[in-house]
């Protein structure tokens, strides 16, 4: 995980960071010079200054020349940012919800749409178009290392072209206050070599594997008996038609780095604790606590979810 | 503000409370290894408790983000008489429980998390310090 803005990983983010730093340094130098001049002027025993010279040189010529140079440079730099177009080899739909991210890819093998959640995988070096929308209130997509910060507004489609220059995991965060758990609405962007990415996408396109042993089968039965499928889809287990989208798709939840949009690392213990009382970890989250599960059922359900790699 | 406080209460009570505070802090820093945890490292146990996500079900002092409510809070675990209401609470028994809870108490909600007996010894040593 890298430190976002200070370590940009896309060509556009590098351009923007360079512009930002130049403006910051120039402003700092000017502020320091003005402070020095002010302190000098306050010293006792002042000499007379050439007022006309300071007004013409410092008040007119310097700002006009300096700002014109900065303006020209920033205009050229921003014009060189990559064009915002959806005509990219890969297009991914990202929809903000209170408080998680729905992520949809197109399966290259079948052309069907597959829904995932809370984790975005992209191939290194290839431009990707992110189609950004919102399901309930205004959210904002922001992955500092990849540049840009785009509002996600219900009823509108915004977009952002991103391109990762090197492999890595970049943290994203909802950047528009969207309610109680705005802070726990994180998104991991995993950039990996194109071959690895293709293999990952092919694996994600598969439905959930059948349970490998009796405890996992019990977990799957508990999932259905508790009506978890009212909000969560698990491809291959829950009905395909009108798959539930109130909560994240769980087909491959065990393969993700975290659960509940960055709240807890994916682990059987974390899943059990989350299932038993989501409100303890993310107060206000839409998921209710499961008071009706006995201990063995809870363990089986957590084990089954963790097995969904 | 500070000067006024000194004026009202005089220097002597302040000195006394400073001494008291120092004594209390010295007491805190001295965390003796409880009986039955020979060779186990409570600090390592604390890190293991975080790594195995014990905090997703338990409130555990000293373990970051341990705010779960599914299981009992462990703030005074070292003073507790029984583990899970069945096992006498001594470190070797607790280590057994941590390795495979359902084997000790079949209906428990606490999962077996692949904790090795050695990891469990360190975790038990840390939990025994919570008094």
């Amino acid at each position: 995980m890298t430190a976002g803005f200070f370590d940009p990983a896309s060509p556009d983010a590098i351009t923007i960071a360079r512009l930002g730093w130049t403006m910051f340094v120039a402003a700092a130098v000017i502020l320091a010079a003005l402070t020095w001049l002010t302190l000098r002027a306050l010293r006792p025993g002042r000499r007379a200054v050439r007022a006309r010279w300071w007004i013409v040189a410092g008040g007119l010529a310097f700002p006009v020349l300096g700002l014109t140079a900065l303006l020209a440079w920033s205009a050229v730099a921003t014009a060189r940012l990559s064009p915002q177009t959806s005509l990219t080899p890969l297009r991914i739909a990202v929809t903000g919800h209170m408080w998680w991210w729905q992520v949809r890819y197109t399966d290259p093998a079948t052309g069907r749409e597959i829904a995932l959640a809370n984790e975005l995988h992209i191939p290194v070096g290839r431009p990707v178009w992110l189609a950004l929308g919102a399901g309930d209130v205004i959210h904002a997509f922001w992955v500092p290392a990849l540049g840009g910060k785009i509002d996600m507004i219900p009823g509108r489609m915004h977009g952002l072209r991103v391109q990762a220059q090197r492999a890595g995991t970049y943290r994203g965060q909802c950047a528009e206050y969207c309610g109680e758990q705005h802070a726990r609405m994180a998104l991991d962007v995993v950039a990996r070599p194109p071959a690895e990415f293709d293999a990952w996408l092919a694996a994600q396109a598969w439905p959930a594997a059948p349970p490998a042993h009796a405890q996992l089968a019990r977990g799957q039965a508990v999932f259905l008996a508790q009506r978890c499928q009212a909000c969560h889809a698990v491809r291959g287990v829950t009905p395909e038609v009108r798959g539930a989208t109130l909560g994240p798709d769980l087909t491959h939840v065990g393969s993700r780095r975290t659960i509940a949009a960055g709240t807890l690392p994916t682990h059987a213990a974390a899943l059990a604790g989350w299932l038993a009382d989501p409100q303890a970890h993310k107060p206000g989250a839409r998921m209710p606590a499961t008071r009706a599960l006995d201990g063995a059922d809870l363990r089986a359900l957590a084990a089954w979810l963790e097995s969904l790699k | 503000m500070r000067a006024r406080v000194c004026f009202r209460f005089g220097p002597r009570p302040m000195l006394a409370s400073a001494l008291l505070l120092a004594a209390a802090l010295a007491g805190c820093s001295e965390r003796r290894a409880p009986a039955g945890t020979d060779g186990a490292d409570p600090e390592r146990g604390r890190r293991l408790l975080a790594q195995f996500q014990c905090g997703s079900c338990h409130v555990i002092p000293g373990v970051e983000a341990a705010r779960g409510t599914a299981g009992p809070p462990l703030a005074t675990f070292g003073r507790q008489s029984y583990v899970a209401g069945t096992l006498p609470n001594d470190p070797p028994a607790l280590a057994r429980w941590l390795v495979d809870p359902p084997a000790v108490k079949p209906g428990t909600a606490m999962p077996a998390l692949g904790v090795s007996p050695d990891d469990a010894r360190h975790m038990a040593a840390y939990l025994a310090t919570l008094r």
Side-chain angles (χ1 to χ4, degrees), chain A residues 155-250:
Chain A
R156 288 187 68 162
M157 186 63 82
H158 287 173
L160 179 68
R161 181 189 179 282
V162 297
Q163 182 174 345
Q165 267 189 338
R166 52 191 157 81
T169 302
Y170 307 109
R171 187 178 161 101
Q173 174 67 38
C174 180
E176 184 70 47
Y177 181 70
C178 60
E180 203 175 353
Q181 289 302 330
H182 165 64
R184 291 203 184 92
M185 185 169 165
L187 171 80
D188 281 340
V189 179
V190 181
R192 43 192 5 187
E196 267 180 47
F197 168 79
D198 292 341
W200 171 85
L201 184 56
Q204 295 286 320
W206 281 94
H213 52 81
Q215 204 208 7
L216 301 185
R218 179 175 181 172
Q220 181 176 320
V222 169
F223 181 88
L224 295 171
Q226 290 291 326
R227 307 286 306 154
C228 305
Q229 70 272 33
C231 297
H232 297 284
V234 178
R235 275 176 282 126
V237 175
T238 58
E240 286 272 329
V241 187
R242 295 197 59 221
T245 54
L246 282 175
D249 181 290
L250 301 178

Side-chain angles (χ1 to χ4, degrees), chain A residues 122-141:
Chain A
I122 56 174
V124 171
R126 278 195 218 156
V128 178
W129 176 254
L130 302 176
L132 306 171
D136 34 45
V137 299
I138 299 177
H139 302 274
F141 180 93

Side-chain angles (χ1 to χ4, degrees), chain B:
Chain B
M1 188 66 196
R2 202 171 179 185
R4 190 194 273 169
V5 169
C6 288
F7 176 73
R8 278 181 63 192
F9 296 103
R12 225 171 269 166
M14 287 200 61
L15 184 68
S17 44
L19 281 174
L20 264 177
L21 185 67
L25 286 175
C28 286
S29 64
E30 182 188 329
R31 184 172 260 172
R32 276 182 303 135
T37 61
D38 302 333
D41 177 1
E43 174 53 28
R44 188 162 159 205
R46 190 182 64 79
R47 287 198 302 269
L48 284 163
L49 288 164
Q51 187 186 322
F52 280 102
Q53 297 293 312
C54 304
S56 47
C57 288
H58 300 281
V59 173
I60 316 173
V63 176
E64 198 186 328
R67 54 168 158 262
T69 52
L74 306 181
T76 55
F77 189 81
R79 279 194 278 159
Q80 206 171 297
S81 300
Y82 291 93
V83 178
T86 48
L87 279 179
N89 186 9
D90 65 81
L94 174 59
R96 239 182 21 252
W97 166 259
L98 292 172
V99 169
D100 193 353
V104 176
K105 187 179 181 182
T108 182
M110 181 159 158
L113 297 165
V115 176
S116 74
D118 194 47
D119 288 347
R121 237 162 37 85
H122 299 303
M123 290 155 87
Y126 180 74
L127 292 175
T129 66
L130 301 174
R131 300 188 70 86

